Amino acid sequence: MRIKSYGLGILACIALTLLIAPLRAAIDLSNVALFYVLLVVVMAVWSGRGPAAVTALLASLAFAYVFVPPAFSLAITQAQHLITASIMLGVALLVGHLTSRLKRHVEHAELREQHSRALYLLASQLTAARTRADVLGISEHFLATLFRVDDLRILAPGAAEALPEPLTPAGLADIVASRNLAILAVPSRGRTLTAVPLRVSKGLQGVLVFALDDATTLTAQVRELLETMASVVAVALERIHYADLARATGVRMASESLRNTILSALSHDLRTPLTALVGMADTVAEGRTAHPGDQQAMIVAIRDQALTINRLVSNLLEMARLQSGEITLNKAWQPVEEVVGASLQQMRLQLAQHPVKVEIMPALPPLEFDAVLMERALCNLLENAAKYSPPESEITLSATQAGNWLEISVCDRGPGLPTAEQAELFGLFRRGQRESNIPGVGLGLAIVRNIVEAHGGSVDATDRSGGGACFSLRLPLGEPPHVAELEVPA
């Protein structure tokens, strides 16, 4: 490229001389000199300082040989012409030098602007990176836009295995200690390995290494670019490291909190009825209840306590099954009245002290749902209403159609919803009253929400007018099949 530039300068000088030589009688010598100076400026802009200097020297000779009297001779007889030729040469060299220098500055400015844009894009992309693999991919794309690189990897500062040729553990340790960019030749492949330490304020996040085909591309500006890139990548890796640390800490704290909540709930709501159960069983076994009526009442109490424990354990197992995500809905089209009746029948003992008012809108369309799970959801709502309502207070169960939704509500006359934690009522191990003698581990409403959401619906809780609370679940009606389709063929 440089030889071509020199040749181009020589050819351009010859061409200009041939072009204006026929006009030497009509053009003043100073104007001829300006033509050559202009040519030198063009060569300086086009090819740089070296070709411009050669062009200036050749132009001076051509000017002296062709245009300065006596023509076609280098013998300059007049001092004025000698001064003109000398000034032309000096001006040409000076202008060529300044022009080429200005060109270099412009090229450097454009290169810095290009690098700044690339670094800005790199930093923008790294802000969205969530893993070290993301950082590695973004860094590889960034370098690929500038060089032909491959085998890009981020090495740990103390890595001793899977090191690229010719890097050794000792060599990596030296690079880490120096904290400076290093270039290693790969003789077997005719390439170079570039290693850039990823420095942060508190040490190193690793060493970025990549193979490079042409080491001559690593100019001072490119080295500066790589150092800046390494700083940006190191900050991204440090951010990911601390984000992972914070996430792991959060998970550990949540797990610890959940574990403590479970232990607290189990210790209170399982140990209390178990203790009572053992005491009543001992009383019956030792024959301390002489009256047959007392013995019968004790046995009934034992059964009730056993049923309470059974419901708690069932809720725990059901919640674990729902949380595992492996639940499969056994959906079928069926009337809502059936699941409502089945739920009331199952909860008759818990509702024994409460009059239950059932309000079901006439001619409700059938609904597609898993009858077992939906019955569990309604039982949990009814049990919740019975536990928090004073004896003899009415509980209302209603089912209505609202557009394309079926809404089933269970309303009680209990203390109402806690104003501070309404949004968390359907969370795991959340109870309306944290400290109370009411049995339960705070799973019932969470199970209701999981079952209803598995059916594409939603749950809600509101304060009831006149006191109490209403828990409502909304289920999509869908497109029920025709009656003929529901009939089983004979």
Side-chain angles (χ1 to χ4, degrees):
M1 178 64 186
R2 298 293 293 176
I3 296 177
K4 289 183 179 179
S5 298
Y6 285 105
L8 180 62
I10 295 172
L11 291 176
C13 186
I14 294 173
L16 178 62
T17 302
L18 294 176
L19 180 65
I20 62 177
L23 305 175
R24 64 179 183 274
I27 303 176
D28 188 76
L29 283 179
S30 58
N31 293 332
V32 174
L34 291 177
F35 275 117
Y36 284 113
V37 171
L38 178 61
L39 176 62
V40 173
V41 171
V42 172
M43 289 305 301
V45 173
W46 185 264
S47 303
R49 183 169 55 186
V54 172
T55 303
L57 291 174
L58 185 60
S60 299
L61 291 175
F63 175 75
Y65 184 76
V66 177
F67 296 97
V68 176
F72 304 109
S73 172
L74 292 176
I76 302 176
T77 57
Q78 297 184 19
Q80 179 182 356
H81 294 159
L82 180 61
I83 293 172
T84 301
S86 300
I87 291 176
M88 191 204 79
L89 176 61
V91 170
L93 291 174
L94 179 61
V95 172
H97 170 72
L98 294 176
T99 303
S100 62
R101 187 175 178 181
L102 178 62
K103 179 190 175 187
R104 286 201 308 274
H105 286 170
V106 172
E107 290 175 346
H108 290 167
E110 291 176 347
L111 185 60
R112 286 196 180 92
E113 182 183 2
Q114 179 186 353
H115 289 174
S116 298
R117 286 200 302 268
L119 287 172
Y120 173 77
L121 182 60
L122 173 69
S124 300
Q125 293 174 338
L126 286 176
T127 55
R130 294 291 179 267
T131 64
R132 291 177 70 89
D134 292 343
V135 173
L136 190 63
I138 294 171
S139 302
E140 187 170 16
H141 176 73
F142 171 80
L143 291 174
T145 60
L146 301 174
F147 324 105
R148 291 186 57 186
V149 300
D150 59 13
D151 200 16
L152 180 75
R153 62 184 77 178
I154 297 176
L155 301 176
E161 298 179 353
L163 298 179
E165 183 187 5
L167 192 60
T168 62
L172 179 61
D174 292 340
I175 295 172
V176 170
S178 69
R179 299 167 66 91
N180 291 322
L181 184 148
I183 300 174
L184 308 174
V186 187
S188 61
R189 302 173 62 183
R191 310 171 69 184
T192 58
L193 184 73
T194 303
V196 190
L198 302 174
R199 295 172 294 188
V200 290
S201 57
K202 296 182 180 179
L204 288 179
Q205 282 294 322
V207 178
L208 181 71
V209 297
F210 57 89
L212 190 64
D213 285 342
D214 186 6
T216 60
T217 57
L218 293 177
T219 61
Q221 290 81 12
V222 172
R223 286 171 176 261
E224 182 181 350
L225 173 66
L226 290 177
E227 295 282 0
T228 307
M229 172 215 169
S231 300
V232 176
V233 172
V235 170
L237 290 175
E238 187 178 41
R239 174 181 57 79
I240 291 173
H241 168 72
Y242 284 118
D244 291 342
L245 191 62
R247 193 178 302 110
T249 303
V251 170
R252 188 167 58 253
M253 292 178 63
S255 300
E256 183 69 18
S257 175
L258 183 61
R259 186 178 68 85
N260 292 334
T261 302
I262 293 174
L263 291 177
S264 175
L266 292 181
S267 65
H268 178 270
D269 293 297
L270 284 182
R271 288 186 60 185
T272 301
L274 278 175
T275 302
L277 191 62
V278 171
M280 289 184 289
D282 288 343
T283 301
V284 174
E286 294 171 2
R288 284 181 284 172
T289 53
H291 195 278
D294 294 342
Q295 187 175 8
Q296 179 65 26
M298 194 70 70
I299 293 174
V300 171
I302 290 174
R303 185 201 60 181
D304 292 343
Q305 292 290 348
L307 289 175
T308 300
I309 296 174
N310 180 64
R311 283 195 300 275
L312 292 175
V313 174
S314 297
N315 275 339
L316 285 170
L317 295 177
E318 189 69 29
M319 196 67 234
R321 190 166 71 93
L322 292 170
Q323 290 285 307
S324 68
E326 298 177 354
I327 184 172
T328 301
L329 298 180
N330 185 20
K331 286 185 175 180
W333 291 95
Q334 45 198 315
V336 176
E337 290 85 350
E338 288 190 6
V339 72
V340 170
S343 302
L344 290 173
Q345 175 65 21
Q346 185 174 339
M347 298 302 297
R348 64 186 184 283
L349 294 178
Q350 288 76 14
L351 297 172
Q353 297 183 2
H354 301 276
V356 179
K357 183 179 180 181
V358 179
E359 298 176 341
I360 299 180
M361 177 183 285
L364 280 177
L367 197 66
E368 187 180 27
F369 57 85
D370 186 315
V372 175
L373 292 179
M374 197 54 62
E375 183 179 322
R376 170 56 64 91
L378 288 180
C379 286
N380 284 354
L381 291 182
L382 289 170
E383 183 184 18
N384 190 70
K387 286 194 298 186
Y388 288 96
S389 298
E392 305 305 327
S393 63
E394 184 180 80
I395 295 175
T396 302
L397 193 157
S398 61
T400 59
Q401 180 178 352
N404 295 324
W405 296 85
L406 177 73
E407 184 172 303
I408 303 177
S409 300
V410 176
C411 300
D412 59 54
R413 289 298 181 186
L417 303 176
T419 55
E421 300 179 348
Q422 287 191 16
E424 301 177 353
L425 279 177
F426 294 94
L428 284 174
F429 303 103
R430 298 293 181 182
R431 303 188 61 188
Q433 298 178 11
R434 290 184 178 278
E435 301 295 339
S436 73
N437 293 323
I438 300 175
V441 293
L443 284 177
L445 295 179
I447 291 175
V448 172
R449 185 186 64 179
N450 277 272
I451 291 175
V452 173
E453 289 181 351
H455 285 77
S458 62
V459 293
D460 189 23
T462 57
D463 284 316
R464 187 181 187 184
S465 176
C470 282
F471 291 85
S472 304
L473 53 90
R474 288 164 57 85
L475 297 169
L477 286 176
E479 294 291 336
H482 297 292
V483 177
E485 299 176 8
L486 295 175
E487 294 179 351
V488 179

